[in-house]
Amino acid sequence: MKLYFSGDTQEVIEGLELLSGKLAIQLTREGYPIKVTQRMGNLKVTNSNGQGEIFYQEKSHFFRGVGLFLEAIESQEEFAIEEVLQFDTGGAMLDSSRNAVLAVKGIKELLRDMSVMGLNLLMMYTEDTYEVDEYPYFGYMRGRYTKNEIRELDQYALKLGIEMVPCIQTLGHLREALKWEYANELRDTEDILLIDEPKTYEFLRNLIKSATEPYVSNRIHIGMDEAHDLGLGRYLELNEYKNRFELMNSHLQQVVKITESFGLQAMLWSDMYFKLGSKTNEYTDINAEFPEEIIAGIPNVQMVYWDYYHTEEATYAGMMKKHSELGENQIFAGGIWTWNGLAPNYGKTWATTKAGLTAAKKSGVKEVFATMWGDNGAETPVLTALPGLQLYAEHMYHKDVEEAEVARRFNFCTGSNIDDFLILQNLDETTGVSPYNIMTSQTSKILLWQDSLIGLFDENINGLDLNQHYADLVPRLEQAKKNNPSLNLLFDFYENLARVLSIKAELGIQLKAAYDAADRFKMQELVDVALVLSRKIDVLRKSHRELWFSINKPFGWEILDIRYGGVLLRNETTIYRLTQWINHEIVLIEELEEKRLPFKGPYGNPEGSLGNSMYHRIVTSSAFSS
């Protein structure tokens, strides 16, 4: 559509040019006239008597307004749309530290989608995946971003009204950074820095300087979450035991002294203060006690309350009230469940987001963002987070959010059908899993990676007819692929995953049954099935690889190559062992002699979940790396 924007367009024209291809618009004086007015207040989009108007406060509101105009004019000659902003800041945190480092091209695509949605924040979570000149091993062979790449992305985002903020770690979660020789004197435990050590603060000064240098924003997220063994490692060898509240405050003060020397405003995850103040060592403990001297010693920082587990609004509201004891201007971070498994968990995302963001609105929280973690190998493609981002965007502009509204806006902002994305949750939400997968069953992950000959999870799924479940998913995913040609690689990957699981899900159970019945004819049939399975796994591997390289840097894929290689070679060994038994070359298959037990890891297996574990615990009971 040809459009002519007049009025307050100076700060948005470059962003319009970046979005012109996505929105299928041409900027020309001969286009449909739209008057633009920047002023304080709500976003307002109108069309009357052949004249469009957009009233906006911030750049991000304007680009959402353009989308609303284009969507409305397709079906209405005259309209007046007004949206009341619920949050000053709404956006996402991109995890670039769990092997998948989204390439510059991929981030630009994400930024364009976020801009049309109306989001205005993108945090880059980089534990060691950014360039620090003083430490060549920091992020070595991990796909770290160069300063030029970050600078290019930051300038691109600014044109779209999106603030990019570095999100690093300055205490814990530094296992990959601290594994090298250069860090020997910086390490308290394998993933926590040695505090009260001058060399540590020299290290952090260099990190903070390098991390923030390419960004225009003067804000930085300094992390500091989940440092459970703070002061309990090498620190104790060098010092007497010290109150850990005092250690936390002392370290925070020194880090903030560094950030303030660079003119930066810091924020940090709040959980360590709650856990140290909780008698039960729990984060979401509204009875946590913060000593007055500790509160007085907290420097000028914003606390970030992260929570993507609870489905009750009251829990979030109570925690937000409790956070006020630690300072003003708290930030809330929810989550789009893209971590630990192969498929997104939209049910958990929707339930926790509704509760969390509703509480944030009522509590007066002004800044929110969605974490998009990639724990345990970033097996779930970041593209699957798009529906969750749309959900956050609608909450940013509406007090109450209807699912139909999210679906409609998603279709316009991404060009895709949200119902096709929602099919993906069925890869994990199978028979035996609670509605909406609130207990976060990782069904597809455990069934893909588990060893068919050992079958650690076979007892968990026995009798659930999961082969048929995945077979039924195949045609639905085939159709989703046809419906979304721009996301062909994404849906092709999931279609191939369903094809593999329609054979592999219950293969271990079938092998055990045939063996116990001494049925060599049936076992030969299963050998033939396993041969077919190898070919399907290889097709899946290649489709996953093509998807990965289309959006991510190459680093990190080697881990998934190893995982796919493992399942392929173990399937080959399974065929070898079964064939030996079929041919009477061996009397026993020891792996199949073992009685199958339900999988019960250290966290148990809650009702409503078929399993939830990390890769190394899924594939074997043997010592994986020790």
Side-chain angles (χ1 to χ4, degrees):
M1 183 179 184
K2 293 182 179 181
L3 299 175
Y4 175 57
F5 292 91
S6 63
D8 300 330
T9 62
Q10 185 174 355
E11 74 165 11
V12 299
I13 194 66
E14 288 183 308
L16 278 172
E17 290 170 351
L18 294 179
L19 293 173
S20 60
K22 175 179 177 58
L23 295 175
I25 59 175
Q26 182 180 346
L27 306 179
T28 172
R29 286 184 175 274
E30 289 73 43
Y32 193 91
I34 301 177
K35 184 180 178 182
V36 179
T37 302
Q38 184 177 20
R39 49 95 177 103
M40 299 297 291
N42 298 336
L43 171 61
K44 191 173 181 180
V45 180
T46 68
N47 190 56
S48 179
N49 299 320
Q51 171 73 56
E53 283 194 275
I54 297 177
F55 299 86
Y56 78 99
Q57 181 173 315
E58 295 184 6
K59 261 201 268 190
S60 58
H61 309 162
F62 170 77
F63 294 120
R64 178 177 172 90
V66 173
L68 289 170
F69 179 89
L70 291 171
E71 182 184 12
I73 205 167
E74 289 180 0
S75 58
Q76 305 172 59
E77 289 187 7
E78 297 195 354
F79 50 83
I81 302 168
E82 185 169 4
E83 295 188 329
V84 180
L85 200 67
Q86 305 296 307
F87 304 109
D88 294 339
T89 301
M93 188 216 71
L94 176 65
D95 187 349
S96 298
S97 298
R98 273 29 180 260
N99 296 344
V101 179
L102 196 61
V104 170
K105 176 186 175 183
I107 295 177
K108 286 182 176 179
E109 291 175 359
L110 178 63
L111 287 167
R112 290 194 294 271
D113 284 335
M114 290 176 63
S115 179
V116 178
M117 292 175 184
L119 297 169
N120 61 3
L121 173 71
L122 180 63
M123 288 191 177
M124 300 289 287
Y125 181 73
T126 49
E127 292 173 356
D128 67 331
T129 46
Y130 57 99
E131 190 176 49
V132 184
D133 294 337
E134 291 84 356
Y135 309 103
Y137 280 92
F138 188 85
Y140 174 61
M141 289 293 180
R142 291 260 288 143
R144 60 191 169 199
Y145 292 110
T146 67
K147 291 177 185 177
N148 285 337
E149 286 176 322
I150 293 293
R151 191 173 288 110
E152 177 185 347
L153 288 167
D154 189 56
Q155 292 298 317
Y156 194 90
L158 285 172
K159 293 175 183 177
L160 296 172
I162 298 173
E163 177 190 17
M164 285 185 63
V165 174
C167 184
I168 66 172
Q169 288 290 357
T170 58
L171 181 58
H173 281 297
L174 287 169
R175 179 179 284 101
E176 300 308 320
L178 299 179
K179 67 189 176 189
W180 303 104
E181 183 183 33
Y182 81 88
N184 285 348
E185 295 182 342
L186 306 173
R187 194 185 304 114
D188 182 10
T189 67
E190 66 176 3
D191 72 339
I192 297 176
L193 286 169
L194 180 63
I195 66 174
D196 292 342
E197 163 57 51
K199 291 181 180 179
T200 294
Y201 298 100
E202 177 187 357
F203 174 70
L204 288 175
R205 173 170 285 277
N206 289 325
L207 261 57
I208 291 167
K209 180 178 183 292
S210 293
T212 58
E213 187 179 304
Y215 293 88
V216 170
S217 176
N218 71 337
R219 300 209 289 174
I220 181 174
H221 196 318
I222 56 176
M224 294 197 187
D225 60 311
E226 299 182 324
H228 305 305
D229 295 327
L230 168 66
L232 300 178
R234 186 162 159 259
Y235 181 88
L236 271 183
E237 297 175 9
L238 302 173
N239 306 275
E240 294 182 352
Y241 178 82
K242 191 174 181 180
N243 180 284
R244 296 171 75 226
F245 253 140
E246 295 177 12
L247 289 179
M248 185 71 190
N249 253 16
S250 172
H251 181 67
L252 177 59
Q253 289 164 4
Q254 294 187 70
V255 172
V256 171
K257 185 177 180 180
I258 295 171
T259 60
E260 289 181 342
S261 73
F262 291 117
L264 302 169
Q265 173 63 49
M267 65 185 80
L268 77 155
W269 308 112
S270 64
D271 57 289
M272 284 299 293
Y273 281 92
F274 277 82
K275 287 197 169 188
L276 292 173
S278 170
K279 293 180 181 179
T280 55
N281 194 35
E282 293 180 38
Y283 182 15
T284 52
D285 181 359
I286 60 172
N287 296 313
E289 297 177 356
F290 311 124
E292 289 184 10
E293 64 273 18
I294 293 300
I295 294 176
I298 296 175
N300 180 26
V301 294
Q302 283 183 282
M303 291 286 176
V304 182
Y305 163 40
W306 57 270
D307 192 344
Y308 21 76
Y309 294 102
H310 296 91
T311 57
E312 311 83 15
E313 181 186 327
T315 300
Y316 294 93
M319 282 294 290
M320 290 169 186
K321 181 179 180 181
K322 188 69 178 178
H323 270 75
S324 64
E325 296 180 21
L326 297 177
E328 299 177 349
N329 302 320
Q330 65 176 280
I331 301 171
F332 174 68
I336 301 171
W337 277 77
T338 55
W339 60 92
N340 283 341
L342 284 159
N345 186 339
Y346 294 130
K348 183 92 169 183
T349 298
W350 253 247
T352 57
T353 296
K354 180 180 180 181
L357 294 188
T358 300
K361 293 170 189 176
K362 293 179 181 178
S363 300
V365 174
K366 292 302 181 185
E367 295 192 274
V368 301
F369 65 90
T371 59
M372 304 186 299
W373 298 112
D375 298 39
N376 205 224
E379 295 168 339
T380 302
V382 71
L383 293 173
T384 61
L386 290 173
L389 289 177
Q390 192 71 62
L391 180 64
Y392 265 72
E394 299 319 303
H395 271 285
M396 185 171 177
Y397 292 88
H398 297 281
K399 180 180 179 181
D400 299 305
V401 175
E402 300 295 331
E403 289 192 16
E405 178 75 4
V406 177
R408 181 179 61 79
R409 292 293 298 147
F410 182 76
N411 179 255
F412 177 83
C413 293
T414 68
S416 299
N417 187 329
I418 201 168
D419 288 336
D420 291 328
F421 274 81
L422 296 180
I423 294 171
L424 303 180
Q425 65 192 358
N426 293 292
L427 287 155
D428 289 333
E429 194 177 328
T430 65
T431 304
V433 174
S434 61
Y436 310 112
N437 198 7
I438 297 300
M439 305 311 296
T440 63
S441 181
Q442 298 165 354
T443 316
S444 58
K445 181 186 180 95
I446 62 178
L447 296 180
L448 176 62
W449 299 133
Q450 83 154 340
D451 192 307
S452 297
L453 203 55
I454 295 174
L456 293 179
F457 289 84
D458 281 350
E459 192 61 25
N460 293 42
I461 67 163
N462 203 353
L464 298 181
D465 199 15
L466 293 189
N467 277 9
Q468 188 59 51
H469 173 86
Y470 289 109
D472 291 341
L473 277 182
V474 170
R476 297 177 65 191
L477 290 166
E478 281 184 304
Q479 186 59 51
K481 183 168 66 174
K482 293 176 183 176
N483 295 345
N484 302 274
S486 65
L487 294 169
N488 178 277
L489 295 179
L490 178 70
F491 286 101
D492 187 62
F493 161 59
Y494 282 116
E495 178 195 333
N496 284 316
L497 176 59
R499 289 185 185 278
V500 166
L501 296 182
S502 71
I503 297 174
K504 187 176 184 294
E506 297 174 292
L507 180 58
I509 294 171
Q510 295 166 343
L511 295 177
K512 176 66 171 164
Y515 180 77
D516 287 347
D519 190 341
R520 284 176 164 79
F521 293 105
K522 180 62 178 178
M523 195 67 89
Q524 182 58 59
E525 291 179 5
L526 295 173
V527 166
D528 294 338
V529 169
L531 288 167
V532 172
L533 178 61
S534 285
R535 293 193 290 271
K536 291 188 179 295
I537 292 171
D538 200 44
V539 171
L540 170 62
R541 177 184 68 86
K542 289 174 179 175
S543 67
H544 197 171
R545 182 176 65 186
E546 187 175 5
L547 172 61
W548 179 287
F549 280 84
S550 72
I551 56 175
N552 297 320
K553 292 190 176 188
F555 302 95
W557 174 256
E558 69 274 13
I559 297 300
L560 288 175
D561 253 347
I562 291 167
R563 292 182 183 182
Y564 279 113
V567 75
L568 280 165
L569 287 176
R570 283 300 297 165
N571 194 56
E572 190 274 336
T573 295
T574 297
I575 293 169
Y576 167 72
R577 297 279 285 151
L578 300 181
T579 302
Q580 281 187 309
W581 182 75
I582 291 167
N583 294 334
H584 298 279
E585 296 171 17
I586 58 175
V587 177
L588 300 175
I589 302 177
E590 287 88 345
E591 301 94 322
L592 296 179
E593 287 284 327
E594 288 273 357
K595 179 183 177 182
R596 272 31 183 175
L597 301 175
F599 186 93
K600 293 185 178 180
Y603 306 110
N605 196 47
E607 185 177 352
S609 172
L610 299 180
N612 186 316
S613 195
M614 300 295 167
Y615 170 78
H616 69 289
R617 293 301 182 206
I618 293 171
V619 294
T620 181
S621 282
S622 298
F624 195 80
S625 60
S626 61

